[in-house]
Every structure is written in C-alpha cells, then in structure tokens.
Amino acid sequence: MSYFAFFSMEFAFDKGIPNYAGGLGVLSADLMFSAADLAMDVVGVSLLYYGDRNFKPEEFMNKLEASVSIEIE
C-alpha cells in the first residue's frame, strides 16, 4: 500500500479558509479532490496564516490522532 503527501503553499478548498490567492490553490485543491474521488491514501500539507484573527480552523477541519513532526531551522 502506498501513501502520498502533497505539499502546496495553498489549497482553495473553501472561501472561508484564508490560505490561497489564486491559480495554484485551485489547482492544488482540484488535485486533492480527484485523489479523494479515486479513494487514494493522500494527505495535503500546507500552511495556515493567522492574519485573519476571526479564522477558526476547527470550523473546517477535524484533528486526527496521527501526527507528524517536521523540524525547521
């Protein structure tokens, strides 16, 4: 069984998630939606910017028990 991680700076999943500005986000989200339609084991990895203090990630996402740690210098 293979698992995939798709790293992108932005995903245009919903207008309420403030992490995309245009074409790349739309393309990234389309790729993830297609992977879901094909029942692929894939996870999208991106950054969330908290510039908008009214944004509440828990309204759009569910926290999973699995976790990944990445060390950034």
Side-chain angles (χ1 to χ4, degrees):
M1 182 180 291
S2 297
Y3 297 95
F4 299 94
F6 182 67
F7 292 80
S8 179
M9 291 303 293
E10 48 188 65
F11 288 96
F13 289 125
D14 189 283
K15 292 179 186 177
I17 302 174
N19 82 324
Y20 72 96
L24 176 63
V26 172
L27 180 64
S28 298
D30 284 346
L31 188 142
M32 295 300 292
F33 288 133
S34 294
D37 290 344
L38 295 170
M40 295 177 66
D41 293 316
V42 62
V43 62
V45 180
S46 187
L47 301 174
L48 287 177
Y49 307 98
Y50 287 99
D52 180 359
R53 298 293 179 200
N54 296 320
F55 174 63
K56 294 178 178 50
E58 60 275 6
E59 292 179 3
F60 298 92
M61 300 168 227
N62 297 318
K63 186 168 178 131
L64 301 177
E65 290 182 23
S67 67
V68 175
S69 297
I70 300 173
E71 185 177 329
I72 300 175
E73 293 185 36

